[in-house]
């Protein structure tokens, strides 16, 4: 094999792995009812210098993603290759998380419980969850005797404004007291959940844990009515 071919193969390997991983995650999250009707978007950070993200293309059913249904973008949310499909409308939120939260992967779901709870607690601008063993699946949590807070951002449909809100949220979260679990997720009002991790496996674990926790909270509220 020539040196050029070896380099090309090496450079394409992370991209191929990221695509396969996101295709598998998309099928799983769709099957669980969390990414229906072409909703949701996912990304994996490919490089830091310069920043490069692999993001799901807009309007794709997540249970049938193909290798052509992804876009590599730069730190301005622009496709780096000519002729690439349009990336998710919320691409800049992924860019902000990769840049400001050092996210290695980002997953966004539109589940029933995330949608309903983000509306139920919208006036409080946050959803607090405490006392569940499943909390220990989240970063920085070592005991169920912990409370996590999911901020709820307004759904303005203005992605530029939402990206700025997210940057401010992340800056504020960085000032939390020592010992508090780090911010690793937020909700958008009547929209859904965003979570991120060091890599795709971490983000997948967190999406499963958070969706479980939100369903527990939703069912608990229903039972208390």
């Amino acid at each position: 094999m020539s040196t050029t071919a070896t380099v090309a193969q090496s450079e394409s390997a992370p991209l191929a792995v990221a695509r396969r991983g996101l295709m598998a995650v998309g099928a799983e999250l769709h099957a669980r009812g969390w990414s229906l009707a072409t909703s949701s978007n996912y990304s994996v950070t490919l490089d830091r210098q310069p920043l490069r993200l692999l993001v799901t293309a807009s309007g794709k059913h997540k249970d049938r993603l193909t290798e052509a249904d992804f876009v590599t973008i730069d730190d301005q949310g622009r496709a780096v290759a000519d002729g690439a499909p349009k990336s998710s409308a919320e691409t800049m939120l992924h860019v902000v998380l990769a840049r400001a939260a050092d996210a290695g992967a980002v997953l966004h779901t539109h589940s029933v419980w995330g949608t309903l709870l983000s509306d139920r607690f919208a006036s409080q601008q946050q959803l607090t969850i405490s006392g569940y063993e499943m909390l220990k699946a989240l970063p920085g949590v070592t005991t169920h005797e912990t409370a996590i807070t999911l901020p709820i951002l307004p759904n303005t449909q203005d992605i530029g404004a939402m990206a700025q809100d997210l940057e401010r949220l992340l800056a504020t979260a960085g000032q939390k007291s020592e010992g508090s679990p780090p911010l690793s997720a937020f909700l958008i009002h009547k929209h859904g959940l965003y979570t991120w991790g060091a890599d795709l496996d971490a983000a997948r674990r967190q999406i499963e844990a958070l969706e479980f926790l939100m369903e527990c909270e939703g069912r608990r509220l229903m039972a208390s009515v």
Side-chain angles (χ1 to χ4, degrees):
M1 182 179 294
S2 69
T3 302
T4 301
T6 302
V7 171
Q9 184 181 46
S10 174
E11 290 176 344
S12 66
L15 184 62
V17 169
R19 281 180 180 145
R20 288 195 299 269
L22 291 175
M23 289 163 63
V25 165
E28 179 182 1
L29 299 188
H30 178 276
R32 291 180 178 228
W34 301 339
S35 290
L36 301 179
T38 76
S39 69
S40 303
N41 39 77
Y42 323 132
S43 70
V44 167
T45 301
L46 300 172
D47 290 298
R48 297 285 177 187
Q49 296 294 335
L51 187 64
R52 294 288 185 267
L53 276 67
L54 184 71
V55 183
T56 44
S58 179
K60 301 298 181 180
H61 288 281
K62 301 308 183 290
D63 62 330
R64 60 187 82 162
L65 291 171
T66 71
E67 292 188 357
D69 294 332
F70 298 93
V71 188
T72 301
I73 61 166
D74 63 16
D75 62 352
Q76 299 300 310
R78 299 173 301 207
V80 301
D82 294 336
K86 180 182 178 182
S87 65
S88 165
E90 295 160 32
T91 290
M92 283 308 298
L93 300 183
H94 291 256
V95 171
V96 169
L97 290 169
R99 187 172 57 213
D102 204 29
V106 178
L107 297 176
H108 170 43
T109 49
H110 284 232
S111 69
V112 171
W113 294 111
T115 302
L116 293 176
L117 289 172
S118 69
D119 187 42
R120 170 66 174 77
F121 292 94
S123 62
Q124 300 175 33
Q125 300 183 323
Q126 63 183 37
L127 166 64
T128 299
I129 303 175
S130 63
Y132 296 100
E133 185 71 13
M134 187 63 76
L135 287 164
K136 288 161 42 176
L138 303 176
V141 179
T142 58
T143 172
H144 69 281
E145 296 178 345
T146 298
I148 64 160
T149 297
L150 303 181
I152 301 173
L153 298 182
N155 188 4
T156 64
Q157 299 295 306
D158 182 339
I159 300 303
M162 290 175 67
Q164 292 179 349
D165 288 343
L166 179 55
E167 286 187 305
R168 286 190 289 269
L169 175 64
L170 293 169
T172 301
Q175 301 168 10
K176 290 174 66 175
S177 60
E178 185 176 351
S180 299
L183 179 67
S184 59
F186 65 90
L187 290 160
I188 300 177
H189 182 218
K190 284 189 174 181
H191 185 125
L193 173 72
Y194 268 90
T195 191
W196 58 95
D199 54 30
L200 187 56
D201 282 344
R204 178 179 175 274
R205 181 184 68 248
Q206 289 163 211
I207 208 81
E208 288 184 342
L210 289 164
E211 290 289 356
F212 171 89
L213 290 165
M214 289 193 298
E215 183 171 352
C216 286
E217 280 297 284
R219 292 186 181 278
R220 182 183 66 81
L221 289 170
M222 289 174 61
S224 65
V225 173

